[in-house]
Amino acid sequence: MFDLPYWFDLDVRHCIDVMHVEKNVCDSVIRTLLNIQGKMKDGLNTRQDLAEMGIRSQLHPRSDGKKNILASSLSYFVQKE
């Protein structure tokens, strides 16, 4: 599988560092919810993937000719009852 010299000496070969996974997931969720630019996982490529899969049509990117417009990712949370 991997050609690491110490691979066979490890007690747990598939050890996931829970602290870092938790931090990365929380960072991604908070950045998306608060619409913080930078390392946000909700960009043009993600929205194009949604359009390609045919899901969440309210989040698909729209083009005005020169640039793409992304709807707020929180638009589906606020709905009239």
Side-chain angles (χ1 to χ4, degrees):
M1 192 163 168
F2 294 102
D3 293 327
L4 300 174
Y6 57 86
W7 185 254
F8 293 106
D9 297 330
L10 294 175
D11 292 331
V12 180
R13 294 186 181 138
H14 301 289
C15 183
I16 297 175
D17 188 356
V18 176
M19 179 184 70
H20 288 104
V21 170
E22 181 181 357
K23 178 196 173 292
N24 291 338
V25 169
C26 287
D27 284 349
S28 294
V29 169
I30 288 173
R31 285 183 177 135
T32 300
L33 290 176
L34 297 178
N35 202 20
I36 298 173
Q37 300 301 318
K39 293 185 176 182
M40 192 169 63
K41 305 293 184 196
D42 186 34
L44 180 60
N45 289 337
T46 305
R47 301 295 182 91
Q48 289 173 339
D49 288 343
L50 290 175
E52 185 178 309
M53 290 188 284
I55 57 175
R56 297 197 178 187
S57 60
Q58 70 273 18
L59 295 177
H60 293 178
R62 292 168 184 80
S63 179
D64 70 347
K66 294 182 181 178
K67 61 181 182 176
N68 291 317
I69 300 170
L70 300 178
S72 174
S73 59
L74 296 177
S75 64
Y76 58 91
F77 284 123
V78 182
Q79 297 177 358
K80 288 187 175 184
E81 294 190 32

